[in-house]
Amino acid sequence: MNAPAIAPALTAQDFKSDYKPVWCPGCGDYTVLASITRALAALQLRPEKVAVVSGIGCSSRIPAYTTCYGFHGVHGRALAAATGLKVARPDLTVLVAGGDGDGYSIGGNHFLHACRRNIDLTDIVMDNHVYGMTKGQPSPTTEPDWKSKLSPAGTGLREFHPLVIALAAGANFIARAFSGDPSGTAAVIGEAIRHPGFSFVEVLSPCVTFRPEQRAWKEAVHPASVAATDDPARAARRLMTDDGFNTGVLYKGTRPAYSAAAGKTTLHPADLEKDFAL
Amino acid sequence: MTDATVANGRVESVSAALAGSGGAGVMTAGNMLLEAAAQAGYFGLMTRTSGPQIRGGEAAAMLRVSTFASDSQDDRFHVLAAIDWQNVNRFASEIPLGEASLLIGDPAQGEPPEAFLKSGARYVPLPLKALAKQVSGGWPNMVALGVLGAVMGLPEEALERAVRKSMKKGGEALAAGLAAVKLGMAEAAKLERSFPLALPRAGAGRWLISGNEAAGLGALRGGVRFVAAYPITPATELLEWLSPALTKVGGTLVQAEDELASINMILGASYGGVPALTATSGPGLALMIEALGLGVAAELPIVVVDVMRTGPSTGIATKTEQADLNIAMYGLHGDAPHIVVAPNSVADCLAATQWAAGLAESLQVPAIVLSDQYFGQARAIIDRPPGAPASGKRLLAQPNAPAYKRYALTESGVSPMALPGTPGVTYTADGLEHNERGTPSSQASDHLAQMEKRARKLESLDCGEDWATLEGEGDVAVLTWGSCTAPVREAFARARAEGIQARLVSLRLLSPAQPARLAKALEGVKRVLVVEQSFSGQFQRYLKAEYDLPGEVHSLRRPGPLPIRPDEIHRTLKSWSRP
């Protein structure tokens, strides 16, 4: 009689596919990918039990760079696709990954409603304050005075504050990480996956090609001086004084995760026909 | 009404409309009248029209009760009864009357609008409100129910059973309802004109169902267990029916924040292996188009039921039209082969939706079901639809399949799909063009190979006899689709009674087109009449693009919401039959 097969422990390498990323050298997304695979290995998940869902953009290429199941959909709709997947398949661990244009601009409405719906998803937004794939246009998180071909005088628009919006809309876990700190980012992502409900991780991930000045982010970031709170009011007060470079977990809520009306599998469609019979 | 339906003073079909302003209860009474017709053993159809108000606007229940099954409205109404005339004139074109018709109104509410009087219909003032007051707690709509029931010769027991079924709480309200109906019947007995129906044909196991409900049931029969919903008139009832129904069969419904979300949610669920559907109308379908293309490229089966309403833009949300054919067929960017199916009766909303779900699953492709407001919101008494044949199943990858390629180039074009959770066959579903493995590729050879693969899937579709409904013979053919099929069928029945032969071809499978099958069905045809409810002739243009039609081609069309009536088609058939 054979001994039951024991699957060997997986390492981060087991979650990396052999595809070569399309990203530029020095892109922050490489280390975000490494952080995700490290977090999945630390949680000892199986690649086939994890789905990575994305939309369009540089960072949205990430699903195929993992050995997990991937869904590379249309621009801005990753959260919607992930919602359908997670509700249909609650047994899976579902990660959503993408950039600030995909997540906050074209996908902004889905972001609000994903926070509000509080489905057990982990949303990782690699924020570089620019549309990189289309070669450098301002995104919702771009500074108002940043000049580009499309906005020669700057946008003049105030930046979207993802953490404030996530908190106001009801996200159950809110954190900020920095791609230049892969261990810290992996730890935050791991915690986000474990936390029930909708977990939002904003990762500052520099675009060295179109925003080379973001190389200086590594000097600007600093760990938050206080621990995560479960009090939304306290989290809101902290965000009032946020300089945008605080990293760590801001908020861990206690709202129960969305659960779909539990289907009773007792009936067959034919059983419903009596509603129409005369 | 037609002369042909009258025999021995009894008619085979009666059309009655009940109109009034909001709160008058015309829909409640209309539904009871339809139920009473069902109880008495008749077939029936109730469509509705209403003003733009959310609540409280003018409305009319339009019924047809007959000894035979029909989804068609008749040419004219035998009787129009109005609780009041507030804005009811707006429905004049939707409720055509003739000299033989009866126009019943409460004199306390003023004279009937000129738009109705000029038809020559006989006006009979009937003090509905005053009569209702004779009964404690009585309502004018229940008096009108009694009047209309008696005018069409429904037995009192049938009306009573319908009222009891509707007012389950019983008590004083029920007693008042029954008394008011009785009073209405007594008043009707004094009328000089009535339209008593011939005896019903025996039949058992009939259903009373709306097209939207039928489509919902078809979806469940087809295996759909995930639905994303964003409300839109006139598709909302389909989603509302599915919500509790899905729970009963172990499925789930999620309300989405918009149609962009609902379509992407069903793609996500389908990617997870759960057959998925959403229902919408034109504006929603327009928003869903981009993601439908993702379904084509990533080869994810989904079903979108479009309950068409008038367009463009918001159009007339509550009224029917067949003008989403172009967007459903050709709206997707790129070359994006997908399935378009159209039910051609209320009952067929069930079969067509089930069929679409099965085709989507077995071919791993999006399917659009083009229903419309006429079918969706009509309630019809139908023969019980036949049992459910097995629906198509998805071809799945086995765990640890060696050298697994999600988009492998197979002969049929269909390749095994790995579902999340299956070890050793993980892949990324992608809207980017890709190679067999699913790796994004910008190479011309991969693009061509995958395009051919996706096209091959639809070519391999074996639709058997289901691609169209074929009836009749002769060298004249009427080509139609969807809800226009109903008046064509009725015109054919009238023509047959006069010895005029013609062929009916009602297409159910619009994409992929079946040119060889249609060519065979039209062999020997010299003249073709294309019947559709669209201003620009979308169906005729589609036929010209996809098929070779024989002989002379004529078009009978108009935009919604006015239906094509049987008489118009019948007249053409008659004129063509003369040597």
Coordinates of all heavy atoms in Angstrom, one line a residue, chain A residues 69-146:
Chain A
Y69 N -4.3 30.3 -12.2 CA -5.3 30.6 -13.3 C -5.3 32.1 -13.5 O -5.3 32.9 -12.5 CB -6.6 30.0 -12.9 CG -6.7 28.6 -13.2 CD1 -6.4 27.6 -12.3 CD2 -7.1 28.2 -14.5 CE1 -6.5 26.2 -12.6 CE2 -7.2 26.8 -14.9 CZ -6.9 25.9 -13.9 OH -6.9 24.6 -14.3
G70 N -5.4 32.5 -14.7 CA -5.4 34.0 -15.0 C -6.5 34.4 -15.9 O -7.1 33.6 -16.6
F71 N -6.9 35.6 -15.7 CA -8.0 36.2 -16.5 C -7.6 37.6 -16.8 O -7.6 38.5 -16.0 CB -9.3 36.2 -15.7 CG -10.6 36.7 -16.4 CD1 -11.5 35.7 -16.9 CD2 -10.8 38.0 -16.7 CE1 -12.6 36.2 -17.6 CE2 -11.9 38.4 -17.4 CZ -12.8 37.5 -17.8
H72 N -7.2 37.8 -18.1 CA -6.8 39.1 -18.6 C -7.9 39.7 -19.4 O -8.0 39.4 -20.6 CB -5.5 38.9 -19.4 CG -4.9 40.2 -19.8 ND1 -4.1 40.3 -20.9 CD2 -5.0 41.5 -19.3 CE1 -3.7 41.6 -21.1 NE2 -4.2 42.3 -20.1
G73 N -8.8 40.5 -18.8 CA -10.0 40.9 -19.5 C -9.9 42.2 -20.2 O -8.8 42.6 -20.7
V74 N -11.0 43.0 -20.2 CA -11.0 44.3 -20.9 C -10.7 45.4 -19.9 O -10.7 45.2 -18.7 CB -12.3 44.5 -21.6 CG1 -12.5 43.6 -22.8 CG2 -13.5 44.4 -20.7
H75 N -10.4 46.5 -20.4 CA -9.9 47.7 -19.6 C -11.0 48.1 -18.5 O -12.1 48.4 -18.9 CB -9.7 48.8 -20.6 CG -8.8 49.9 -20.0 ND1 -7.9 49.7 -19.0 CD2 -8.6 51.2 -20.4 CE1 -7.3 50.9 -18.7 NE2 -7.7 51.8 -19.6
G76 N -10.5 48.1 -17.3 CA -11.3 48.6 -16.2 C -12.3 47.7 -15.6 O -12.9 48.0 -14.6
R77 N -12.4 46.5 -16.1 CA -13.5 45.6 -15.6 C -13.0 44.4 -14.8 O -13.8 43.5 -14.5 CB -14.4 45.1 -16.8 CG -14.7 46.1 -17.8 CD -15.6 47.2 -17.3 NE -15.6 48.3 -18.3 CZ -15.7 49.6 -17.9 NH1 -15.8 49.9 -16.7 NH2 -15.6 50.5 -18.8
A78 N -11.8 44.5 -14.3 CA -11.2 43.3 -13.6 C -12.1 43.0 -12.3 O -12.4 41.8 -12.0 CB -9.8 43.6 -13.2
L79 N -12.5 44.1 -11.6 CA -13.2 43.8 -10.4 C -14.5 43.1 -10.7 O -15.0 42.3 -9.9 CB -13.4 45.1 -9.6 CG -12.2 45.6 -8.9 CD1 -12.4 47.1 -8.4 CD2 -11.8 44.7 -7.7
A80 N -15.2 43.5 -11.8 CA -16.5 42.9 -12.1 C -16.3 41.4 -12.4 O -17.0 40.6 -11.9 CB -17.1 43.6 -13.3
A81 N -15.3 41.1 -13.2 CA -15.0 39.7 -13.6 C -14.7 38.9 -12.4 O -15.1 37.8 -12.2 CB -13.9 39.6 -14.6
A82 N -13.9 39.5 -11.5 CA -13.5 38.8 -10.3 C -14.7 38.6 -9.3 O -14.8 37.5 -8.7 CB -12.4 39.6 -9.5
T83 N -15.6 39.5 -9.3 CA -16.8 39.4 -8.5 C -17.6 38.2 -9.0 O -18.0 37.3 -8.2 CB -17.6 40.7 -8.6 OG1 -16.9 41.7 -8.0 CG2 -19.0 40.5 -7.9
G84 N -17.8 38.1 -10.3 CA -18.5 36.9 -10.9 C -17.8 35.6 -10.5 O -18.5 34.6 -10.2
L85 N -16.5 35.6 -10.7 CA -15.7 34.4 -10.4 C -15.8 34.0 -9.0 O -16.1 32.8 -8.7 CB -14.3 34.6 -10.9 CG -13.3 33.5 -10.6 CD1 -13.8 32.2 -11.3 CD2 -11.9 33.8 -11.0
K86 N -15.6 34.9 -8.1 CA -15.6 34.6 -6.7 C -17.0 34.1 -6.2 O -17.1 33.2 -5.4 CB -15.1 35.8 -5.8 CG -15.0 35.5 -4.3 CD -13.9 34.5 -4.0 CE -14.0 34.2 -2.5 NZ -13.0 33.2 -2.1
V87 N -18.0 34.8 -6.7 CA -19.4 34.4 -6.2 C -19.7 33.0 -6.8 O -20.3 32.2 -6.1 CB -20.4 35.5 -6.7 CG1 -21.9 35.0 -6.4 CG2 -20.2 36.8 -5.9
A88 N -19.3 32.8 -8.0 CA -19.6 31.5 -8.6 C -18.7 30.4 -8.0 O -19.1 29.2 -7.9 CB -19.4 31.5 -10.1
R89 N -17.5 30.8 -7.6 CA -16.5 29.8 -7.2 C -15.9 30.3 -5.8 O -14.7 30.6 -5.8 CB -15.4 29.6 -8.2 CG -15.9 28.9 -9.5 CD -16.2 27.4 -9.2 NE -15.0 26.7 -8.6 CZ -14.0 26.2 -9.3 NH1 -14.0 26.3 -10.6 NH2 -13.0 25.7 -8.6
P90 N -16.7 30.2 -4.8 CA -16.1 30.7 -3.5 C -14.9 29.9 -3.0 O -14.2 30.4 -2.1 CB -17.3 30.6 -2.5 CG -18.4 29.8 -3.2 CD -18.1 29.8 -4.7
D91 N -14.7 28.8 -3.5 CA -13.6 27.9 -3.1 C -12.2 28.5 -3.5 O -11.2 28.1 -3.0 CB -13.7 26.5 -3.6 CG -13.8 26.5 -5.2 OD1 -14.7 27.2 -5.7 OD2 -13.1 25.7 -5.8
L92 N -12.2 29.4 -4.5 CA -11.0 29.9 -5.0 C -10.5 31.1 -4.3 O -11.3 31.9 -3.7 CB -11.1 30.3 -6.5 CG -11.6 29.3 -7.5 CD1 -11.9 29.9 -8.8 CD2 -10.5 28.2 -7.6
T93 N -9.2 31.3 -4.2 CA -8.6 32.6 -3.8 C -8.5 33.5 -5.0 O -7.8 33.1 -6.0 CB -7.2 32.4 -3.2 OG1 -7.4 31.5 -2.0 CG2 -6.6 33.7 -2.7
V94 N -9.1 34.6 -5.0 CA -9.2 35.5 -6.1 C -8.4 36.8 -5.9 O -8.8 37.6 -5.0 CB -10.6 35.8 -6.6 CG1 -10.6 36.6 -7.9 CG2 -11.3 34.4 -6.9
L95 N -7.4 37.1 -6.7 CA -6.7 38.3 -6.6 C -7.0 39.2 -7.8 O -7.2 38.6 -8.9 CB -5.1 38.1 -6.6 CG -4.5 37.1 -5.6 CD1 -3.0 37.1 -5.7 CD2 -5.0 37.4 -4.2
V96 N -7.1 40.5 -7.6 CA -7.3 41.4 -8.7 C -6.1 42.3 -8.8 O -5.6 42.7 -7.7 CB -8.5 42.2 -8.5 CG1 -8.8 43.2 -9.7 CG2 -9.8 41.4 -8.3
A97 N -5.5 42.4 -10.0 CA -4.3 43.2 -10.0 C -4.3 44.2 -11.2 O -4.9 43.8 -12.3 CB -3.1 42.3 -10.2
G98 N -3.8 45.4 -11.1 CA -3.8 46.3 -12.2 C -3.3 47.6 -11.8 O -2.7 47.8 -10.7
G99 N -3.5 48.6 -12.6 CA -2.9 49.9 -12.4 C -3.9 51.0 -12.0 O -5.1 50.7 -11.9
D100 N -3.4 52.2 -11.9 CA -4.2 53.3 -11.4 C -5.2 53.8 -12.5 O -6.3 54.1 -12.2 CB -3.4 54.5 -10.9 CG -2.1 54.8 -11.8 OD1 -1.4 53.8 -12.0 OD2 -2.0 55.9 -12.2
G101 N -4.8 53.7 -13.7 CA -5.8 54.1 -14.8 C -6.9 53.1 -14.9 O -8.1 53.4 -14.9
D102 N -6.5 51.8 -14.9 CA -7.5 50.7 -15.0 C -8.4 50.7 -13.8 O -9.6 50.5 -13.9 CB -6.7 49.4 -15.1 CG -7.6 48.2 -15.4 OD1 -8.0 48.1 -16.6 OD2 -7.8 47.4 -14.6
G103 N -7.8 50.9 -12.6 CA -8.6 50.7 -11.3 C -9.4 51.9 -10.9 O -10.4 51.8 -10.3
Y104 N -8.8 53.1 -11.2 CA -9.5 54.3 -10.6 C -10.2 55.2 -11.7 O -11.0 55.9 -11.3 CB -8.4 55.2 -9.9 CG -7.6 54.5 -8.9 CD1 -6.3 54.8 -8.6 CD2 -8.1 53.5 -8.0 CE1 -5.5 54.2 -7.7 CE2 -7.4 52.9 -7.1 CZ -6.1 53.2 -6.9 OH -5.3 52.6 -5.9
S105 N -9.8 55.0 -12.9 CA -10.4 55.9 -13.9 C -11.5 55.1 -14.6 O -12.7 55.2 -14.3 CB -9.4 56.4 -14.9 OG -9.9 57.3 -15.8
I106 N -11.1 54.3 -15.6 CA -12.2 53.6 -16.4 C -12.9 52.5 -15.5 O -14.1 52.3 -15.7 CB -11.5 52.9 -17.6 CG1 -12.6 52.3 -18.5 CG2 -10.5 51.8 -17.2 CD1 -12.1 51.9 -19.9
G107 N -12.2 52.1 -14.4 CA -12.8 51.1 -13.5 C -13.3 51.7 -12.2 O -13.6 51.0 -11.3
G108 N -13.3 53.0 -12.2 CA -13.6 53.7 -10.9 C -14.9 53.3 -10.3 O -15.0 53.1 -9.1
N109 N -16.0 53.2 -11.1 CA -17.3 52.8 -10.5 C -17.2 51.4 -9.9 O -17.8 51.2 -8.9 CB -18.3 52.9 -11.6 CG -19.7 52.8 -11.1 OD1 -20.0 53.3 -10.0 ND2 -20.6 52.2 -11.8
H110 N -16.5 50.5 -10.6 CA -16.5 49.1 -10.0 C -15.7 49.1 -8.7 O -16.0 48.3 -7.8 CB -15.8 48.2 -11.1 CG -16.5 48.2 -12.4 ND1 -17.8 48.1 -12.6 CD2 -15.9 48.5 -13.6 CE1 -18.1 48.2 -13.9 NE2 -17.0 48.5 -14.5
F111 N -14.7 50.0 -8.6 CA -13.9 50.1 -7.4 C -14.8 50.5 -6.2 O -14.8 49.8 -5.2 CB -12.8 51.1 -7.5 CG -11.9 51.3 -6.3 CD1 -11.2 50.3 -5.8 CD2 -11.8 52.6 -5.7 CE1 -10.4 50.4 -4.7 CE2 -10.9 52.8 -4.6 CZ -10.2 51.7 -4.1
L112 N -15.7 51.5 -6.4 CA -16.6 51.9 -5.4 C -17.5 50.7 -5.0 O -17.7 50.5 -3.8 CB -17.5 53.0 -5.9 CG -16.9 54.4 -6.2 CD1 -18.0 55.3 -6.7 CD2 -16.2 54.9 -5.0
H113 N -18.0 50.1 -6.0 CA -19.0 49.0 -5.6 C -18.4 47.7 -5.1 O -19.0 47.0 -4.4 CB -19.9 48.8 -6.8 CG -20.8 50.0 -7.0 ND1 -22.0 50.1 -6.3 CD2 -20.7 51.1 -7.8 CE1 -22.5 51.3 -6.7 NE2 -21.7 51.9 -7.5
A114 N -17.1 47.5 -5.5 CA -16.4 46.3 -4.9 C -16.1 46.6 -3.5 O -16.3 45.7 -2.6 CB -15.1 46.1 -5.7
C115 N -15.8 47.8 -3.1 CA -15.5 48.1 -1.7 C -16.8 47.9 -0.9 O -16.9 47.3 0.1 CB -15.1 49.6 -1.5 SG -13.4 49.9 -2.2
R116 N -17.9 48.5 -1.5 CA -19.2 48.4 -0.9 C -19.8 47.0 -0.7 O -20.3 46.6 0.3 CB -20.1 49.3 -1.8 CG -21.5 49.5 -1.3 CD -22.3 50.3 -2.3 NE -23.6 49.9 -2.2 CZ -24.4 49.3 -3.2 NH1 -23.8 49.1 -4.4 NH2 -25.6 49.0 -2.9
R117 N -19.5 46.2 -1.8 CA -20.1 44.8 -1.8 C -19.3 43.9 -0.8 O -19.9 43.0 -0.3 CB -20.0 44.3 -3.2 CG -21.0 43.3 -3.6 CD -20.9 42.9 -5.1 NE -21.8 43.7 -5.9 CZ -21.4 44.4 -6.9 NH1 -20.1 44.5 -7.3 NH2 -22.2 45.1 -7.7
N118 N -18.1 44.2 -0.7 CA -17.2 43.5 0.3 C -17.2 42.0 0.1 O -17.3 41.2 1.0 CB -17.8 43.8 1.8 CG -16.7 43.5 2.8 OD1 -15.5 43.6 2.6 ND2 -17.2 43.1 4.0
I119 N -17.0 41.6 -1.2 CA -16.7 40.2 -1.5 C -15.3 39.9 -1.1 O -14.4 40.8 -1.1 CB -17.0 40.0 -3.0 CG1 -18.5 40.1 -3.3 CG2 -16.5 38.6 -3.5 CD1 -18.9 40.1 -4.7
D120 N -15.0 38.7 -0.8 CA -13.7 38.3 -0.3 C -12.7 38.2 -1.5 O -12.4 37.2 -2.0 CB -13.8 36.9 0.4 CG -12.5 36.6 1.1 OD1 -11.7 37.5 1.3 OD2 -12.4 35.4 1.6
L121 N -12.2 39.4 -1.9 CA -11.3 39.5 -2.9 C -10.1 40.4 -2.4 O -10.2 41.1 -1.5 CB -11.9 40.4 -4.1 CG -13.1 39.8 -4.8 CD1 -13.7 40.9 -5.8 CD2 -12.8 38.6 -5.6
T122 N -8.9 40.2 -3.1 CA -7.8 41.1 -2.8 C -7.5 41.9 -4.0 O -7.1 41.3 -5.0 CB -6.6 40.3 -2.3 OG1 -7.0 39.6 -1.1 CG2 -5.4 41.1 -2.0
D123 N -7.6 43.2 -3.9 CA -7.4 44.1 -5.0 C -6.0 44.8 -4.9 O -5.8 45.6 -3.9 CB -8.5 45.1 -5.1 CG -8.4 46.1 -6.2 OD1 -7.8 45.7 -7.3 OD2 -9.0 47.2 -6.2
I124 N -5.1 44.5 -5.8 CA -3.8 45.1 -5.7 C -3.6 46.1 -6.8 O -3.7 45.7 -8.0 CB -2.7 44.0 -5.8 CG1 -2.9 43.0 -4.7 CG2 -1.3 44.6 -5.8 CD1 -2.2 41.6 -5.0
V125 N -3.5 47.4 -6.5 CA -3.4 48.4 -7.5 C -1.9 48.9 -7.5 O -1.5 49.5 -6.5 CB -4.4 49.6 -7.3 CG1 -4.2 50.6 -8.4 CG2 -5.8 49.0 -7.4
M126 N -1.3 48.7 -8.6 CA 0.1 49.2 -8.8 C 0.0 50.6 -9.3 O -0.3 50.8 -10.5 CB 0.9 48.3 -9.7 CG 1.2 46.9 -9.0 SD 1.5 45.6 -10.2 CE -0.1 44.8 -10.2
D127 N 0.2 51.6 -8.4 CA -0.1 53.0 -8.7 C 1.2 53.7 -9.1 O 2.2 53.8 -8.3 CB -0.7 53.6 -7.5 CG -1.3 55.0 -7.8 OD1 -1.0 55.5 -8.9 OD2 -2.0 55.6 -7.0
N128 N 1.3 54.1 -10.3 CA 2.5 54.9 -10.8 C 2.1 56.3 -11.3 O 2.9 57.0 -11.9 CB 3.3 54.1 -11.8 CG 2.5 53.7 -13.0 OD1 1.4 54.2 -13.2 ND2 3.0 52.8 -13.8
H129 N 0.9 56.7 -11.1 CA 0.4 58.0 -11.4 C 0.6 58.3 -12.9 O 0.8 59.5 -13.2 CB 1.2 59.1 -10.6 CG 1.1 58.9 -9.1 ND1 1.6 59.8 -8.2 CD2 0.6 57.9 -8.3 CE1 1.5 59.4 -7.0 NE2 0.8 58.2 -7.0
V130 N 0.5 57.3 -13.7 CA 0.6 57.5 -15.2 C 0.1 56.4 -16.0 O 0.0 55.2 -15.5 CB 2.1 57.8 -15.5 CG1 2.9 56.5 -15.5 CG2 2.2 58.5 -16.9
Y131 N -0.4 56.7 -17.2 CA -0.7 55.6 -18.1 C 0.6 55.3 -18.9 O 1.1 56.1 -19.6 CB -1.8 56.1 -19.2 CG -3.2 56.2 -18.6 CD1 -3.7 57.3 -18.0 CD2 -4.0 55.1 -18.8 CE1 -5.0 57.4 -17.5 CE2 -5.4 55.2 -18.3 CZ -5.8 56.3 -17.7 OH -7.1 56.4 -17.2
G132 N 1.1 54.1 -18.6 CA 2.4 53.7 -19.2 C 2.3 53.1 -20.5 O 3.0 53.4 -21.5
M133 N 1.3 52.2 -20.6 CA 1.1 51.4 -21.9 C 0.9 52.3 -23.1 O 1.3 52.0 -24.2 CB 0.0 50.4 -21.7 CG -0.1 49.4 -22.8 SD -0.9 47.9 -22.3 CE 0.4 46.8 -21.9
T134 N 0.2 53.4 -22.9 CA -0.1 54.3 -24.0 C 1.0 55.5 -24.0 O 0.8 56.5 -24.6 CB -1.5 54.9 -23.8 OG1 -1.7 55.3 -22.5 CG2 -2.5 53.9 -24.2
K135 N 2.0 55.3 -23.2 CA 3.2 56.2 -23.3 C 3.0 57.5 -22.7 O 3.3 58.6 -23.3 CB 3.7 56.3 -24.7 CG 4.0 54.9 -25.3 CD 4.9 55.0 -26.5 CE 5.0 53.7 -27.3 NZ 5.1 52.4 -26.5
G136 N 2.5 57.5 -21.4 CA 2.6 58.7 -20.6 C 1.5 59.8 -20.7 O 1.7 60.9 -21.0
Q137 N 0.3 59.4 -20.2 CA -0.7 60.4 -20.0 C -1.1 60.4 -18.6 O -0.9 59.4 -17.8 CB -2.0 60.0 -20.9 CG -1.7 60.0 -22.4 CD -1.0 58.8 -22.9 OE1 -1.2 57.7 -22.3 NE2 -0.2 58.9 -23.9
P138 N -1.7 61.5 -18.1 CA -2.1 61.6 -16.7 C -3.2 60.7 -16.3 O -4.2 60.5 -17.1 CB -2.5 63.1 -16.5 CG -2.9 63.5 -17.9 CD -2.0 62.8 -18.8
S139 N -3.1 60.1 -15.1 CA -4.2 59.2 -14.6 C -4.8 60.0 -13.4 O -4.5 61.1 -13.1 CB -3.5 57.9 -14.1 OG -3.1 58.1 -12.7
P140 N -5.8 59.3 -12.8 CA -6.5 60.0 -11.7 C -5.6 60.4 -10.5 O -6.0 61.2 -9.7 CB -7.6 59.1 -11.3 CG -7.8 58.2 -12.5 CD -6.5 58.1 -13.1
T141 N -4.5 59.7 -10.4 CA -3.6 59.9 -9.2 C -2.4 60.8 -9.6 O -1.6 61.1 -8.8 CB -3.1 58.6 -8.6 OG1 -2.6 57.8 -9.6 CG2 -4.2 57.9 -7.8
T142 N -2.4 61.3 -10.9 CA -1.3 62.2 -11.3 C -1.4 63.6 -10.6 O -2.6 64.1 -10.5 CB -1.4 62.3 -12.8 OG1 -1.2 61.0 -13.4 CG2 -0.2 63.2 -13.3
E143 N -0.3 64.2 -10.3 CA -0.3 65.5 -9.7 C -0.8 66.5 -10.7 O -0.6 66.4 -11.9 CB 1.2 65.9 -9.4 CG 1.9 64.9 -8.4 CD 2.4 63.7 -9.1 OE1 2.0 63.3 -10.3 OE2 3.2 62.9 -8.5
P144 N -1.5 67.5 -10.2 CA -2.2 68.5 -11.2 C -1.3 69.2 -12.1 O -1.7 69.6 -13.2 CB -3.0 69.4 -10.2 CG -2.6 69.1 -8.8 CD -1.9 67.8 -8.8
D145 N 0.0 69.4 -11.7 CA 0.9 70.2 -12.5 C 1.8 69.4 -13.4 O 2.8 69.9 -13.9 CB 1.7 71.1 -11.6 CG 2.5 70.4 -10.5 OD1 2.3 69.1 -10.4 OD2 3.3 71.0 -9.8
W146 N 1.6 68.0 -13.4 CA 2.5 67.2 -14.2 C 2.1 67.4 -15.7 O 1.0 67.2 -16.1 CB 2.3 65.7 -13.8 CG 3.3 64.8 -14.5 CD1 4.6 64.7 -14.3 CD2 3.0 63.9 -15.6 NE1 5.2 63.8 -15.2 CE2 4.2 63.3 -16.0 CE3 1.8 63.6 -16.3 CZ2 4.3 62.4 -17.0 CZ3 1.9 62.6 -17.3 CH2 3.2 62.0 -17.7

